[in-house]
Amino acid sequence: MMHVWLKHLIKSLDNNLDEKTKTKIMEECGENCPFTHLTDERLLAIKNTSSDENDFLEKLSQQWRVKIEGNDVYVVFDKCYCPLANENIADTSATLCYCTLGNLKKKFRIGLNRDVDILMEKTVLSGDSECRFKILV
């Protein structure tokens, strides 16, 4: 269950900061998330066995939550896996999802050797049935 102090912190961010500032703060936190599902070591092992970006993305889709749909690349979670929220998501702010966004930006920066933009299209904390992040490769 999310600690009371963390819920208070997220609520304070929601009440006092604009979306751009909240996003920046949470993304920076996500770059150092200790709960990441794909360790940097595992990511680098996949990268080191890949011949190019497309091969990397294909291998990543076989070993992690990456879905390739035509020319589009997504990271999709079937539920909220964040241990700070997944025990009791009913009253958890979707601001927490920007942490995942920052973590994904870091993962793809490492894997592709460049910055990529990522669109947060759906999140369970916003009431969607899944979390869906579009990777703009």
Side-chain angles (χ1 to χ4, degrees):
M1 189 164 79
M2 184 185 287
H3 295 281
V4 174
W5 66 266
L6 184 56
K7 254 183 211 226
H8 181 72
L9 173 65
I10 299 296
K11 186 175 182 176
S12 183
L13 291 175
D14 287 340
N15 291 337
N16 295 296
L17 298 175
D18 61 87
E19 202 68 22
K20 183 178 178 182
T21 305
K22 285 190 307 188
T23 302
K24 181 175 174 30
I25 290 168
M26 294 307 294
E27 282 185 20
E28 287 180 16
C29 291
E31 290 216 6
N32 298 298
C33 176
F35 307 114
T36 185
H37 300 106
L38 178 65
T39 64
D40 291 352
E41 293 77 20
R42 184 169 160 219
L43 179 73
L44 287 169
I46 296 168
K47 177 183 175 180
N48 291 336
T49 62
S50 302
S51 58
D52 58 25
E53 280 190 8
N54 289 332
D55 188 39
F56 169 73
L57 293 170
E58 182 61 36
K59 287 179 178 175
L60 201 56
S61 75
Q62 295 168 8
Q63 299 181 46
W64 195 48
R65 298 183 178 277
V66 169
K67 292 188 178 198
I68 300 171
E69 299 174 2
N71 291 328
D72 296 325
V73 178
Y74 298 91
V75 173
V76 181
F77 300 105
D78 58 338
K79 65 178 189 174
C80 179
Y81 286 96
C82 177
L84 300 176
N86 65 6
E87 296 289 322
N88 183 18
I89 65 170
D91 61 347
T92 302
S93 171
T95 295
L96 193 58
C97 303
Y98 291 120
C99 183
T100 300
L101 184 67
N103 187 262
L104 292 175
K105 284 183 177 183
K106 177 185 177 187
K107 297 300 177 198
F108 282 92
R109 183 172 55 248
I110 291 170
L112 299 173
N113 287 326
R114 61 185 170 89
D115 287 331
V116 296
D117 286 326
I118 299 177
L119 301 177
M120 187 166 58
E121 293 186 344
K122 297 180 182 181
T123 69
V124 171
L125 295 182
S126 295
D128 297 304
S129 61
E130 66 183 8
C131 297
R132 180 173 281 260
F133 297 86
K134 185 174 185 179
I135 316 305
L136 303 177
V137 290

